[in-house]
Amino acid sequence: VQLQASGGGLVQAGGSLRLSCAVSASFHSVNSVGWFRQAPGKHREVVGWITIGVRTDTVDYAESVKGRVTISRDSGKNSVTLQMNSLRPEDTAVYYCHADQITTSGRRDYWGQGTQVTVSS
C-alpha cells in the first residue's frame, strides 16, 4: 500500500487546511487509514483515524483535536481527507498519513511521506 499525502502549508491561527491522503489500494483491503503528526522535538502522535467498515466506517479523534478536525474518505478518489479548522500554533507539525492491514501473518503498517503544516500566531 502506498500513501501520498498532500495539502500542507502555512496558515494563520484560526484558519483552516485540508490534507488529503491518496491510497493506492482499495479500501476493502485496508483496516484503517489515519493521520499522525510530529512537531519538532516531540514524539509522533495520532490525530485521528477512520476504520473501514463493511457498511459503516468508524472515525476516532485525539482529544487535542476533537471538535476541530474531521476525517472522511472518498471511495471514488480512493483518498482520505483531514479537514482542520480553528487551527492553533500548537498544531504546527509534519502530518503523516498511515494505513494498516490485517493479514494472515499479522498487522502491517504503511506510512506516507509527511506534509508540513505551519500555523502562525
Side-chain angles (χ1 to χ4, degrees):
V1 179
Q2 293 183 328
L3 307 170
Q4 181 74 36
S6 61
L10 173 64
V11 63
Q12 288 188 332
S16 299
L17 270 179
R18 177 177 293 183
L19 306 184
S20 181
C21 176
V23 183
S24 67
S26 166
F27 281 120
H28 296 297
S29 68
V30 299
N31 176 58
S32 70
V33 180
W35 291 92
F36 288 71
R37 66 185 182 183
Q38 187 166 17
K42 294 189 177 181
H43 295 295
R44 189 173 295 188
E45 63 176 7
V46 65
V47 176
W49 67 97
I50 182 167
T51 303
I52 308 301
V54 175
R55 296 182 180 178
T56 306
D57 298 333
T58 302
V59 186
D60 296 277
Y61 302 100
E63 287 296 324
S64 59
V65 300
K66 196 172 289 186
R68 300 189 296 120
V69 307
T70 302
I71 294 176
S72 60
R73 69 161 164 135
D74 185 331
S75 296
K77 296 181 179 179
N78 234 53
S79 64
V80 171
T81 297
L82 173 65
Q83 175 69 44
M84 301 187 291
N85 303 318
S86 302
L87 283 163
R88 306 166 180 170
E90 53 263 40
D91 294 317
T92 295
V94 178
Y95 284 69
Y96 297 91
C97 183
H98 168 270
D100 72 293
Q101 290 180 317
I102 307 298
T103 71
T104 54
S105 57
R107 174 177 164 174
R108 299 185 69 176
D109 292 283
Y110 303 90
W111 292 93
Q113 91 292 358
T115 184
Q116 177 71 46
V117 171
T118 303
V119 184
S120 62
S121 57

